[in-house]
Amino acid sequence: LGGAIVGKPALDDNGVLYEGTFGSEMIAVETSTGQIKWRTSVSDWVWGGPAIDNGTIYFGDLDGYFYALDAETGMQIWQIAGNGDNETNITNPPLILDGTVYYTAKNGTLYAVDAATGNPLWNQPVGGNLYGTPLDAGDAILVAPVNGVALVYAVSPNGAIKWTFTPAK
């Protein structure tokens, strides 16, 4: 496929498998035949797998670019430019809730963007390095930084920090 695959793939209801590669591509494979349906080039390696919602594939790359592709064609719907540096790389799939896409970057920031347009809604720096997928906790989005002040941050859907967890020493 032109490069190693390390992220978790996504499978849609029609049996199409979506996977990012170290060949700097997102690839769609028909699972019934094993044939490549489409492949789309991106800026850098895709370390984290994609997430699928309403016919759109969402994912980031190691240059910090974040993408929305049409699941049927692989055509780009929108893109958020990254900095091309090691601090903004995206290493995990995003979380999609109620028309908002949440994703993390190594620089310790949780981002929220409009799923339809890619327009930024807010970003919340929490410190440390964020390598994991944000988690839906009902009334908050949870993120767990490496080398941060706290082990877990709960961020409200409007971007405010609701609480943090730091174990007693």
Side-chain angles (χ1 to χ4, degrees):
L1 293 175
I5 296 172
V6 296
K8 178 182 176 184
L11 182 65
D12 72 11
D13 294 337
N14 299 317
V16 178
L17 185 73
Y18 302 91
E19 184 58 74
T21 75
F22 279 12
S24 302
E25 291 182 307
M26 181 57 63
I27 300 173
V29 178
E30 295 279 357
T31 58
S32 61
T33 64
Q35 297 298 306
I36 293 176
K37 182 175 180 177
W38 54 257
R39 40 187 347 140
T40 299
S41 295
V42 297
S43 180
D44 201 350
W45 291 359
V46 179
W47 193 288
I52 304 170
D53 188 57
N54 292 323
T56 303
I57 307 299
Y58 300 94
F59 64 97
D61 70 19
L62 290 188
D63 269 347
Y65 283 76
F66 194 81
Y67 304 88
L69 303 181
D70 181 276
E72 181 64 29
T73 65
M75 298 299 296
Q76 183 175 294
I77 298 170
W78 52 259
Q79 170 188 302
I80 298 170
N83 293 339
D85 64 17
N86 189 38
E87 292 305 307
T88 59
N89 56 30
I90 301 165
T91 59
N92 272 299
L95 171 67
I96 307 159
L97 291 172
D98 302 323
T100 300
V101 179
Y102 301 92
Y103 67 96
T104 60
K106 180 183 174 189
N107 65 3
T109 303
L110 172 64
Y111 297 90
V113 300
D114 181 89
T117 64
N119 290 333
L121 300 174
W122 52 262
N123 67 72
Q124 179 57 260
V126 298
N129 301 119
L130 289 172
Y131 299 111
T133 300
L135 178 67
D136 174 17
D139 65 343
I141 308 303
L142 303 180
V143 293
V146 174
N147 299 323
V149 174
L151 289 182
V152 178
Y153 288 81
V155 181
S156 70
N158 69 2
I161 295 177
K162 292 180 72 146
W163 55 263
T164 64
F165 172 72
T166 304
K169 294 188 182 212

